[in-house]
Amino acid sequence: MSIIVGLLGYSIAAVVYLLFSLLLLTTKQSGFQRQALSLVVFFTLLWASAGVAQMWIALPLGYLFGIESLRNALWFLLLYATIAPRFELSNFVRGPWRKKGLLLGLICIACLQVSTALAGQQLNQFWLVTQLSQTVIGLWLIEQLYRRIDVSARPTIKPMCLGLGGMFAFDFALYANALITSGISFDFWSLRGFVAILAAPLVLLSARRIKRWSTKIYVSRDVIYHSTLLLVAGGYLLVMALVGYYIRYAGGDWGSMAQNGFFALSALILVSLFLSERLRKRLKVQITKHFFANKYEYREEWMKFAAVLEEDGVSPYSIALKAINQPFDCQYAGLAIVENGRYVVKATYNIRDDDSQAQLCLDHLAGQAIEHQWIVDIEELKEDTSVVPFQVSTSQLQQITKFCYVIPMSTSAGFKGVILLSAPSAIHSVNWEDRDLMRAISRQLAVFLNLHRSNLALAESQQFDTFNRMSAYLVHDLKNVLAQLQLMSKNAVKHKHNPEFIDDAFETVDSAANRLAKVVAHLSKKQRVDTVVAPFQLKAALEQVAQSRSISKPIPQLAFTLSENFELVGDQERFVNVVSHLVQNAQDATAEDGLISIRAGKQANECLIEIQDNGEGMSVEFIDTRLFKPFDTTKGNAGMGVGAYDAKRFVEELGGHIQVTSNVGEGSLFKLYLPIHKI
């Protein structure tokens, strides 16, 4: 049985240190400590391989002792280099003999041990004394390293001290027992491989964290956690196997049955323990507390946090509460924000929205937490209220038993809120690192929720903007209808008894009715719907514009240089509205005795429509920054500010463009370039 255990232990140790050596080979950093670490790991690999050979083919112990002495010498050199500040190998070689004598002595001892094995001689007690002395020196160096190093740096070397200390302590017990009993215990000897396996991940942790070793190796908490579970399970099964073997050996006829029953009970206990969530959490806490400088793998925590924020179909407040509760696993949680001067609960976990204790936290602690940007520890306040920079009511605190932390959320944009958490179950105790993580997550969640609220406000504003834009266009349409009716009313004074006028009046009323019907249709559909484009005669459309705008002075003059039946393709009604708005703007900017002309001609492959006046004119700055800006008007309440914008948009939709030239006090010229479509 011991042979099987020994072979298994040394074989696994050889594989573990082989992987360790390969990891070190993949790093590009240089330095003596890194080279020494690579050598000592390689010699440990040789030592484990020699252990397998010794168990399998009875390799003489001299070979194993020689490799072990060289391995120990390298461990001593690495420990000394870690203790000594600014260690340099050249200075060590040229230094006093008392420093390098130990190393040379171990090398000589290793050579003698190997040569003794080659000569076929048995090792005597002298060699056991040398091995025992090496373990004492190793324990002394570890003690010196841990005692001399700065207190703040102790977490970096603690894993290595535990691993090497356990290995040297086990060897000390082995060789001390061998000297007392005048023989090496085979049971002790077979377990050395497992002790070396336990030391490997601990040394690996320190190799990653000690900067002077210059070895950038990433060791995941999950790897350490699951490796520890496997090692514990393996150790447990090994102990159970030894006990079961003893029961069978000492139990006589009932031994086999008792052994089977013991194995079944052991397996049941092992499964129940490792399925226990409480045990797993405690194991994670111990690993995090004793083997890592940082409590959290921040890269993984941030990726988990981002994954929660990407969830769809859930309220953003529930997502935010889940995101901050994820690393702490609290039984109760709540999130509230400030709306209209009061706290409104937006999301809860395992509590009601109107929970009385949550309301106590909001009434008495939330405001102070936000004002001072302070994470309030309720249990700490119950013991001493002087730890916070504000006054709290101790009588109210005693009534709060469900929650332990009040975490503020706020942004410079005015968003304010708090998160309530009960005692975390994922961690043993809350320290500064947990508070920093709470603060970092809460700040990100404040930005996240503020962005959500801003998006809602923007969407609402866009809805109103769309409605206002549609209303502005419809008002322009109504103004055109009004212009038609005003023109008819003006002409009725002179021509109301003329039958032709009456016919024109009915046509005007019919046209106005159609336009009003279209306006009503637009309002019912909550959007502006343009009519179907079709060819229309340009001269007739421009005459309609001139006639409709003749109700105001100066009356526009039309100059048409194209053929009578020249056609454009587009929405005739909108074209008339656009040109009418531009003519009306010219009339508003020109005195009654001024001049306004509408000209239509052809330039290259485009139709050119010009609207010119000799009115007030515009500056270049006004044309560049305000002329085509929607809802920007110089007419006060008399204008909507969409005439020029609508004209530019309409011309560009047809594939054309507008060019404006103007000088203050000299008038303006609008040129509409429209593409000519061949029918």
Side-chain angles (χ1 to χ4, degrees):
M1 185 68 179
S2 297
I3 295 177
I4 297 175
V5 172
L7 281 173
L8 182 63
Y10 283 112
S11 299
I12 296 176
V15 173
V16 169
Y17 282 93
L18 175 62
L19 295 176
F20 199 166
S21 297
L22 293 176
L23 281 174
L24 291 172
L25 289 176
T26 59
T27 59
K28 299 180 180 180
Q29 289 77 17
S30 61
F32 172 75
Q33 287 85 356
R34 185 244 186 247
Q35 295 172 356
L37 178 63
S38 300
L39 284 174
V40 74
V41 171
F42 176 72
F43 271 88
T44 307
L45 168 61
L46 292 180
W47 172 83
S49 302
V52 174
Q54 194 275 327
M55 301 292 293
W56 185 259
I57 60 174
L59 183 74
L61 286 176
Y63 293 108
L64 190 60
F65 278 9
I67 297 174
E68 182 177 325
S69 296
L70 291 176
R71 181 203 67 177
N72 291 342
L74 290 171
W75 277 125
F76 299 161
L77 184 60
L78 183 60
L79 289 171
Y80 178 77
T82 307
I83 295 173
R86 300 177 181 178
F87 176 86
E88 294 291 342
L89 183 60
S90 57
N91 296 334
F92 177 78
V93 173
R94 292 193 298 266
W97 279 96
R98 62 183 178 84
K99 290 185 177 181
K100 57 187 177 184
L102 176 62
L103 182 63
L104 295 175
L106 286 176
I107 295 175
C108 293
I109 289 173
C111 294
L112 289 174
Q113 289 170 334
V114 173
S115 34
T116 301
L118 289 173
Q121 299 179 7
Q122 296 294 326
L123 296 178
N124 51 37
Q125 287 195 339
F126 172 75
W127 301 118
L128 294 178
V129 172
T130 61
Q131 300 304 114
L132 181 64
S133 301
Q134 292 175 32
T135 62
V136 173
I137 295 172
L139 292 173
W140 176 76
L141 283 173
I142 293 171
E143 187 272 337
Q144 290 293 311
L145 172 62
Y146 195 80
R147 182 168 58 86
R148 292 188 182 186
I149 201 167
D150 188 77
V151 176
S152 61
R154 284 181 180 176
T156 62
I157 55 94
K158 180 185 287 187
M160 182 186 65
C161 292
L162 290 174
L164 295 182
M167 189 170 64
F168 284 124
F170 186 88
D171 287 348
F172 176 83
L174 169 67
Y175 293 122
N177 180 71
L179 284 173
I180 294 173
T181 60
S182 299
I184 296 177
S185 171
F186 200 69
D187 291 336
F188 257 125
W189 187 265
S190 61
L191 294 176
R192 297 183 78 197
F194 291 102
V195 176
I197 294 171
L198 290 173
L202 301 175
V203 174
L204 187 60
L205 282 176
S206 289
R208 172 176 173 259
R209 287 155 51 176
I210 298 177
K211 295 181 179 180
R212 282 186 292 159
W213 285 16
S214 302
T215 304
K216 302 295 184 180
I217 300 176
Y218 173 75
V219 183
S220 169
R221 279 178 167 82
D222 289 335
V223 171
I224 298 297
Y225 169 63
H226 293 296
S227 299
T228 304
L229 286 180
L230 290 175
L231 289 174
V232 171
Y236 176 82
L237 292 175
L238 180 62
V239 172
M240 293 302 101
L242 293 174
V243 175
Y245 177 78
Y246 176 78
I247 291 175
R248 183 174 182 178
Y249 176 78
D253 296 336
W254 293 92
S256 179
M257 184 180 298
Q259 182 188 39
N260 294 333
F262 178 77
F263 282 161
L265 180 61
S266 300
L268 180 62
I269 294 174
L270 179 65
V271 172
S272 62
L273 285 176
F274 279 87
L275 289 179
S276 170
E277 187 66 24
R278 185 176 181 182
L279 173 66
R280 298 168 74 90
K281 287 182 178 180
R282 285 189 175 184
L283 183 59
K284 282 188 175 181
V285 169
Q286 293 302 316
I287 291 175
T288 301
K289 182 177 180 181
H290 295 290
F291 298 116
F292 287 90
N294 294 325
K295 200 171 188 178
Y296 297 95
E297 291 283 5
Y298 288 100
R299 180 183 64 84
E300 294 183 4
E301 293 295 338
W302 199 252
M303 292 179 67
K304 292 177 183 178
F305 175 75
V308 173
L309 295 187
E310 291 176 356
E311 292 184 3
D312 294 328
V314 186
S315 164
Y317 300 102
S318 300
I319 291 176
L321 189 61
K322 180 180 178 181
I324 197 169
N325 191 35
Q326 181 176 250
F328 305 109
D329 193 19
C330 302
Q331 184 177 2
Y332 306 108
L335 186 150
I337 65 172
V338 178
E339 287 184 348
N340 299 323
R342 66 186 187 90
Y343 290 95
V344 179
V345 177
K346 292 293 186 178
T348 58
Y349 178 70
N350 286 340
I351 61 170
R352 294 167 53 91
D353 290 349
D354 58 349
D355 185 85
S356 59
Q357 294 192 31
Q359 196 59 48
L360 281 175
C361 293
L362 296 178
D363 292 342
H364 300 282
L365 299 174
Q368 301 283 16
I370 294 174
E371 180 181 355
H372 295 85
Q373 287 298 294
W374 194 277
I375 296 179
V376 179
D377 187 335
I378 298 176
E379 295 302 321
E380 184 181 43
L381 280 182
K382 289 180 180 179
E383 299 177 1
D384 183 11
T385 58
S386 64
V387 297
V388 294
F390 48 84
Q391 299 294 326
V392 293
S393 172
T394 54
S395 60
Q396 299 293 341
L397 289 176
Q398 300 303 324
Q399 302 179 36
I400 303 174
T401 58
K402 189 176 294 183
F403 298 100
C404 291
Y405 300 96
V406 180
I407 306 170
M409 296 187 300
S410 62
T411 66
S412 58
F415 174 83
K416 295 180 180 179
V418 291
I419 297 170
L420 309 178
L421 295 179
S422 61
S425 60
I427 53 179
H428 180 68
S429 61
V430 176
N431 60 12
W432 61 269
E433 192 172 1
D434 302 298
R435 293 175 182 272
D436 285 348
L437 183 61
M438 289 179 182
R439 184 173 289 106
I441 294 178
S442 66
R443 288 175 178 173
Q444 293 300 318
L445 292 179
V447 175
F448 169 73
L449 294 178
N450 185 60
L451 181 61
H452 166 70
R453 291 167 61 85
S454 299
N455 287 337
L456 291 180
L458 179 60
E460 183 178 345
S461 176
Q462 287 177 339
Q463 290 178 341
F464 279 104
D465 180 67
T466 301
F467 181 80
N468 291 336
R469 187 185 299 271
M470 180 192 68
S471 300
Y473 287 128
L474 295 182
V475 167
H476 265 277
D477 291 339
L478 291 176
K479 289 172 66 177
N480 290 329
V481 174
L482 178 61
Q484 285 182 301
L485 296 178
Q486 286 177 336
L487 179 61
M488 183 182 67
S489 177
K490 180 180 179 181
N491 292 333
V493 177
K494 297 181 179 180
H495 306 288
K496 60 182 179 181
H497 299 295
N498 187 341
E500 294 181 359
F501 171 77
I502 294 175
D503 293 337
D504 290 339
F506 277 108
E507 290 180 4
T508 302
V509 171
D510 185 58
S511 175
N514 291 334
R515 288 194 175 188
L516 290 175
K518 188 178 294 185
V519 170
V520 173
H522 292 334
L523 288 173
S524 63
K525 295 180 181 179
K526 296 182 180 180
Q527 62 179 354
R528 188 179 182 193
V529 182
D530 294 330
T531 57
V532 179
V533 296
F536 63 91
Q537 290 189 350
L538 179 59
K539 185 176 182 179
L542 294 177
E543 288 176 344
Q544 182 180 349
V545 172
Q547 183 181 7
S548 64
R549 294 312 311 163
S550 63
I551 61 173
S552 300
K553 292 183 179 180
I555 298 175
Q557 304 297 319
L558 176 61
F560 195 82
T561 60
L562 299 170
S563 62
E564 293 288 331
N565 58 352
F566 181 85
E567 292 183 337
L568 287 179
V569 178
D571 180 359
Q572 179 179 354
E573 182 178 345
R574 190 175 176 191
F575 174 81
V576 171
N577 288 342
V578 163
V579 178
S580 296
H581 294 328
L582 295 179
V583 173
Q584 182 181 356
N585 289 342
Q587 290 176 322
D588 293 338
T590 307
E592 291 187 358
D593 57 350
L595 297 175
I596 293 179
S597 62
I598 305 173
R599 298 187 296 271
K602 184 177 180 182
Q603 181 172 310
N605 294 323
E606 293 178 310
C607 174
L608 174 60
I609 300 174
E610 297 177 311
I611 303 169
Q612 186 172 15
D613 66 75
N614 60 352
E616 298 176 358
M618 299 174 288
S619 66
V620 176
E621 180 184 1
F622 181 86
I623 295 174
D624 292 338
T625 60
R626 298 184 58 187
L627 177 61
F628 297 112
K629 184 178 180 181
F631 309 110
D632 186 356
T633 179
T634 60
K635 302 177 183 178
N637 295 330
M640 299 297 296
V642 295
Y645 170 77
D646 190 34
K648 181 175 182 293
R649 181 181 174 189
F650 174 71
V651 171
E652 290 176 349
E653 287 176 358
L654 293 179
H657 65 280
I658 288 183
Q659 180 179 340
V660 181
T661 57
S662 181
N663 292 306
V664 177
E666 298 180 5
S668 304
L669 173 61
F670 281 75
K671 293 183 178 181
L672 282 60
Y673 293 89
L674 301 173
I676 299 175
H677 298 277
K678 295 183 179 180
I679 308 300

